Amino acid sequence: ADPAIRVTCKGWMAAPTVYVSWTSRDHGACAGQYRLVAGGAANGWPIWKAMDSDRWLYSCRDGCWGICTEDVQANGFDACAGFILSVGPHCGQMPQCIRKWERWDPDSGCFFADSCVRVSDTQPLGCWRLASGYCGRSICRGAHEGDVAALTAQLADSSSTAAMAAICEVTENNVVCEAAVEGRAVALNALLLEGLAASSSSSSSS
């Protein structure tokens, strides 16, 4: 193979958002929500930037998808490096279509295939660990960040009592406890009011 030869495509259809997650609770350094960089490209392919960290999902020089940090980005993505890489060149497939990934293991100093890595263009179901160590599930993240609008929307789409009582698989708190621990007073007040409303509605119907 000649490393100077690069296959690119200008007609790709890139997802505006991709989610990188682990099905196990052991890892997740690159996990999170990645947004498409408008007008951006690396080695002829689209790039996505993590919403809450300086990590990029890009096409490496050798045609593999990878997730890198600012050192590779500052060098114009002219590299074949990343914390996780697709196993083999993507051959035009977008990241969410790749099923086999490998990750760097600093203890052994090499890459190894990790079947727990998932990349999708839809938000993972249930709880999933972010690189920050917190949960990426909308209702859990809303409680952690104090996002009242997100919490209200999520509670409107599900059974309020069950959603508020459910224990997050990542933080091991329910949404009320998580908001309290993080000092999210406005969100906590909204959750408590929602709980009172749900309790009142349940009593009225019985």
Side-chain angles (χ1 to χ4, degrees), residues 40-74:
N43 301 305
W45 296 92
I47 52 178
W48 294 260
K49 167 76 169 56
M51 288 187 62
D52 52 5
S53 67
D54 287 327
R55 298 187 190 276
W56 284 263
L57 173 55
Y58 78 112
S59 181
C60 303
R61 235 177 14 184
D62 61 1
C64 293
W65 290 113
I67 292 182
C68 67
T69 52
E70 63 270 17
D71 56 337
V72 174
Q73 184 266 343

Side-chain angles (χ1 to χ4, degrees), residues 110-122:
C110 64
F111 283 93
F112 69 90
D114 190 342
S115 61
C116 294
V117 178
R118 294 285 186 273
V119 179
S120 64
D121 56 2
T122 55

Side-chain angles (χ1 to χ4, degrees), residues 3 10 18 28 55 89 116 123 131 144 157 160 173 186 202:
K10 297 195 179 203
V18 294
R55 298 187 190 276
C116 294
Q123 186 166 182
H144 176 75
D157 286 342
S160 297
N173 288 326
V186 176
S202 176

Side-chain angles (χ1 to χ4, degrees), residues 78-121:
D78 187 24
C80 299
F83 291 100
I84 68 169
L85 297 169
S86 59
V87 177
H90 55 70
C91 300
Q93 288 188 305
M94 290 291 119
Q96 68 270 19
C97 299
I98 302 297
R99 295 292 173 260
K100 294 183 179 180
W101 296 86
E102 57 186 9
R103 67 177 175 84
W104 175 256
D105 179 30
D107 294 330
S108 62
C110 64
F111 283 93
F112 69 90
D114 190 342
S115 61
C116 294
V117 178
R118 294 285 186 273
V119 179
S120 64
D121 56 2

